[in-house]
């Protein structure tokens, strides 16, 4: 069992823009220009984190850096990757904030990211950053089975992945459309991987059976949340932090089951886009949203489990939650995920329904 408790000791993170040394009145003009250089007037963020987190950190960052306009686009992590790819010759984004590490590895291999080693590097375990510092981990995300407590009791709820294939859940499962979601791509790929990473046939068969029980693939997370909350379906698969947030903050009748056989635990990350047009502002934003203060805000208000090992006094649900982590070779994930998901989309999605029609 793995306890997701990230505690430790560390020095406080130094944040802030470049400031002039006012201790001497003899500094020359060139020195003053260098030390007083302002950040660019804007920074552009691509992120799947949603308007609540993005809006909050936009305001906090702009309060500290009054000359910088934070502009963000909220979209699925796969959509971010696709967009960064399409803009590779003329980068529009500065920061990509939020996606599973395998997606950042893929972007790294395609030459889409820029190296940046942050000031808090020593507070990260080796597994929570790229070896060349093309990305760093911001949070840990266990995947879970989500259910509507008004429709399904704790005793009845699926206890493991294979339970989702039981006929009693036919047309009770509503799933976020996987191809646009890093969370869902990871869950689906994990189902293939655990069967046999060298031969996806058994995994594809498993997903075919899940498709038979799936009522709908929702276009975005909010649609999935609302439909499950209303009882249009009673079961989904998603991540633990969002499930806790929806229950605590929005009053949704949600609870989660940690699969007994083990679950993939994602490292969510952040990266600077190659040739970012506002590099200095990008670095400042990167540091800002990964400070110890920001990590505590994200844990307490947005239910994110930090990767930094020097953040103390975390919420009880983080400190006391025990997870059986699936043993995953993330390199294998990276190499195969695209093909696995393409096969699912072309050969499995909704095929059981088409046959009946």
């Amino acid at each position: 069992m793995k306890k997701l408790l990230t505690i430790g000791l560390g020095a406080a993170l130094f944040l802030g823009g470049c400031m002039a040394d006012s201790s001497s009145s003899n500094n020359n003009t060139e020195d003053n220009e260098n030390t007083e250089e302002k950040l660019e007037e804007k920074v552009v963020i691509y992120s799947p984190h949603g308007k609540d987190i993005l809006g909050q950190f936009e305001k906090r960052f702009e309060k500290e850096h009054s000359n910088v306009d934070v502009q963000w686009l909220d979209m699925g992590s796969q959509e971010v990757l696709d967009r960064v790819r399409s803009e590779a010759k003329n980068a529009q984004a500065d920061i990509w904030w939020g996606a599973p590490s395998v997606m950042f590895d893929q972007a790294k291999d395609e030459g889409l990211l820029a190296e940046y080693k942050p000031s808090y590097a020593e507070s990260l375990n080796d597994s929570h950053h790229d070896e060349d510092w093309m990305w760093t981990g911001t949070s840990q995300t266990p995947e879970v089975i989500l259910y509507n407590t008004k429709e399904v009791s704790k005793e009845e709820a699926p206890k493991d992945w294979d339970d989702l294939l039981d006929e009693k859940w036919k047309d009770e499962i509503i799933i976020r459309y996987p191809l646009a979601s890093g969370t869902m791509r990871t869950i689906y790929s994990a189902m293939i991987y655990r069967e046999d990473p060298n031969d996806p046939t058994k995994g594809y068969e498993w997903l075919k059976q899940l498709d038979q029980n799936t009522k709908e693939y929702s276009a975005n997370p909010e649609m999935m949340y609302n439909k499950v909350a209303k009882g249009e379906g009673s079961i989904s698969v998603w991540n633990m932090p969002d499930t806790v947030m929806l229950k605590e903050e929005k009053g949704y009748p949600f609870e989660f089951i940690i699969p007994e056989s083990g679950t993939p635990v994602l490292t969510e990350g952040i990266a600077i886009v190659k040739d970012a047009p506002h590099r200095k502002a990008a670095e400042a934003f990167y540091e800002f949203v990964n400070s110890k203060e920001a990590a505590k805000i994200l844990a307490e208000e947005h239910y994110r489990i930090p990767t930094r090992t020097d953040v103390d006094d975390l919420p009880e649900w983080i400190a006391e939650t025990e997870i059986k982590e699936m043993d995953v070779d993330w390199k294998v994930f990276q190499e195969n995920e695209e093909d696995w998901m393409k096969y699912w989309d072309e050969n499995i999605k909704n095929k059981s329904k088409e046959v009946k029609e």
Side-chain angles (χ1 to χ4, degrees), residues 76-332:
S77 50
Q78 182 61 40
E79 294 171 297
V80 175
L81 176 56
D82 291 341
R83 184 156 182 157
V84 170
R85 277 180 181 142
S86 70
E87 297 171 350
K89 293 183 179 180
N90 183 25
Q92 301 298 305
D94 300 300
I95 289 283
W96 176 2
W97 183 23
S101 61
V102 290
M103 284 191 161
F104 285 110
D105 284 334
Q106 189 173 354
K108 172 190 174 181
D109 289 347
E110 296 178 24
L112 301 175
L113 306 180
E115 178 184 350
Y116 181 65
K117 186 175 182 179
S119 64
Y120 55 87
E122 295 302 316
S123 73
L124 297 174
N125 294 327
D126 289 344
S127 61
H128 291 152
H129 67 82
D130 173 59
E131 61 183 359
D132 298 315
W133 297 100
M134 293 295 185
W135 59 265
T136 62
T138 57
S139 63
Q140 303 168 71
T141 308
E143 313 301 353
V144 298
I145 297 169
L146 177 156
Y147 65 96
N148 182 326
T149 56
K150 291 183 177 179
E151 304 291 331
V152 180
S153 69
K154 183 177 182 179
E155 292 70 28
E156 295 174 315
K159 302 300 187 295
D160 211 342
W161 301 112
D162 289 344
D163 295 340
L164 296 168
L165 307 185
D166 192 308
E167 288 186 0
K168 71 180 181 181
W169 302 121
K170 185 172 179 58
D171 290 333
E172 289 293 328
I173 299 174
I174 296 179
I175 288 175
R176 159 57 159 134
Y177 177 57
L179 263 66
S181 166
T183 293
M184 289 308 310
R185 291 172 75 99
T186 297
I187 293 174
Y188 272 36
S189 294
M191 297 303 100
I192 296 172
Y193 180 93
R194 71 183 188 130
E195 294 290 344
D196 186 346
N198 298 312
D199 180 3
T201 305
K202 291 183 179 179
Y204 291 153
E205 183 58 37
W206 193 97
L207 290 175
K208 286 179 183 177
Q209 295 181 61
L210 181 64
D211 180 74
Q212 291 173 7
N213 282 354
T214 301
K215 182 176 182 179
E216 176 184 314
Y217 297 102
S218 298
N220 58 60
E222 287 70 26
M223 289 178 65
M224 182 269 283
Y225 303 154
N226 290 331
K227 288 178 179 291
V228 176
K230 293 176 181 177
E232 295 182 29
S234 58
I235 302 291
S236 189
V237 290
W238 198 237
N239 66 69
M240 187 175 78
D242 280 358
T243 304
V244 176
M245 180 273 291
L246 292 163
K247 173 186 174 182
E248 299 293 334
E249 296 293 325
K250 299 185 181 296
Y252 285 15
F254 290 170
E255 193 52 82
F256 66 84
I257 295 289
I258 299 169
E260 294 173 348
S261 63
T263 191
V265 178
L266 287 174
T267 297
E268 293 278 337
I270 188 170
I272 295 178
V273 176
K274 184 180 179 181
D275 298 327
H278 313 102
R279 176 66 189 235
K280 291 184 181 298
E283 291 179 6
F285 188 85
Y286 192 119
E287 294 278 347
F288 185 83
V289 298
N290 290 292
S291 66
K292 288 204 292 185
E293 179 184 5
K296 284 183 69 67
I297 291 171
L298 287 166
E300 294 171 354
E301 299 182 21
H302 301 288
Y303 306 90
R304 297 300 197 267
I305 304 169
T307 52
R308 288 189 62 153
T309 59
D310 56 355
V311 182
D312 300 318
D313 301 322
L314 292 171
E316 184 177 337
W317 74 271
I318 296 177
E320 299 302 323
T321 298
E322 293 185 346
I323 303 291
K324 183 177 181 181
E325 184 172 355
M326 186 182 292
D327 186 13
V328 173
D329 184 336
W330 294 107
K331 186 67 174 177
V332 173

Side-chain angles (χ1 to χ4, degrees), residues 28-46:
N28 59 40
T29 302
E30 181 179 355
D31 288 340
N32 282 335
E33 287 178 351
N34 288 336
T35 55
E36 292 180 350
E37 184 178 10
K38 288 185 177 182
L39 303 181
E40 294 92 347
E41 293 183 355
K42 71 175 180 179
V43 60
V44 179
I45 318 298
Y46 290 174

